[in-house]
Amino acid sequence: MSDTKENILKIALHLFAVNGYEAVSVSMIAEALGMTKGALYKHYKNKQDIFDCIVERMYQIDNKRAKDYQVPESTIEVTPNAYRNTTIESLITFTLAQYDFWVTDEFASNFRKMLILEQYRNLKMNMLYQKCLVNGPISYIEDIFNKMIEKGVLQECDTKQLAIEYYAPLFLWISVADAVENCWDLKTQLTTHVKQFVKKYIINEKVK
């Protein structure tokens, strides 16, 4: 991407996170960038095109991060071996990194805030919010846990319930981080949670 296209995405997402997607016009985006609407339209067809590129960028970032942390990049139907090969250590490392990502990364944080604002106004936004931050992560973790049970790493259990138990503190601390000055205290609590989780449920793997 050119620097101009990249800047358009970043500024537009910032405005969406502050004002909500519906309240932001192409004129507002162009004004914030110090350019005309005509100049902006040379890069994106309309506001929907900008939004679609923001979502696509988030998916690209998410896939790269999953690969970097050695956790599955896609669904279990597409990459079953990736779920089978995921260790509890890589899952926990990724979990803690996700806290940093959603709280401190400017692009991810603004994306999350935009979805929070729009989830009750727009059904598609609600579905995206659920996919990225609520039901999607829970189903993802549930599939990983099912494979861990097959390998004898995790105790036999209701994996849906256990996925909720594992993920809920991460979701909570990400939400709370917006209202506190020192978000790193929350990460310490999250770290304690995952260590206790390992002691309680994991059978044959150790986490550093």
Side-chain angles (χ1 to χ4, degrees), residues 3-58:
D3 289 342
T4 301
K5 292 192 74 172
E6 183 74 15
N7 286 336
I8 291 171
L9 288 190
K10 290 180 178 179
I11 294 299
L13 180 55
H14 172 74
L15 292 173
F16 296 158
V18 173
N19 303 295
Y21 174 79
E22 297 295 342
V24 175
S25 66
V26 172
S27 295
M28 291 172 64
I29 299 171
E31 181 180 357
L33 287 157
M35 64 169 55
T36 65
K37 287 174 62 177
L40 189 150
Y41 285 136
K42 291 180 181 179
H43 300 281
Y44 296 99
K45 293 181 291 185
N46 48 41
K47 187 172 77 167
Q48 183 64 49
D49 188 26
I50 294 172
F51 175 79
D52 291 342
C53 288
I54 287 171
V55 174
E56 180 60 28
R57 173 60 61 84
M58 274 302 305

Side-chain angles (χ1 to χ4, degrees), residues 162-174:
L162 195 62
I164 293 171
E165 180 180 333
Y166 179 83
Y167 179 69
L170 172 60
F171 180 81
L172 174 64
W173 295 140
I174 289 172

Side-chain angles (χ1 to χ4, degrees), residues 110-146:
N110 281 335
F111 186 79
R112 174 175 60 85
K113 291 172 183 176
M114 174 190 68
L115 295 183
I116 291 171
L117 283 177
E118 292 294 332
Q119 62 176 314
Y120 301 113
R121 303 171 184 166
N122 184 305
L123 179 59
K124 290 184 178 179
M125 289 284 194
N126 181 272
M127 293 173 65
L128 190 57
Y129 175 72
Q130 293 291 325
K131 179 180 180 181
C132 293
L133 287 158
V134 189
N135 289 325
I138 291 171
S139 296
Y140 177 83
I141 294 167
E142 180 185 6
D143 288 336
I144 290 174
F145 284 171
N146 279 323

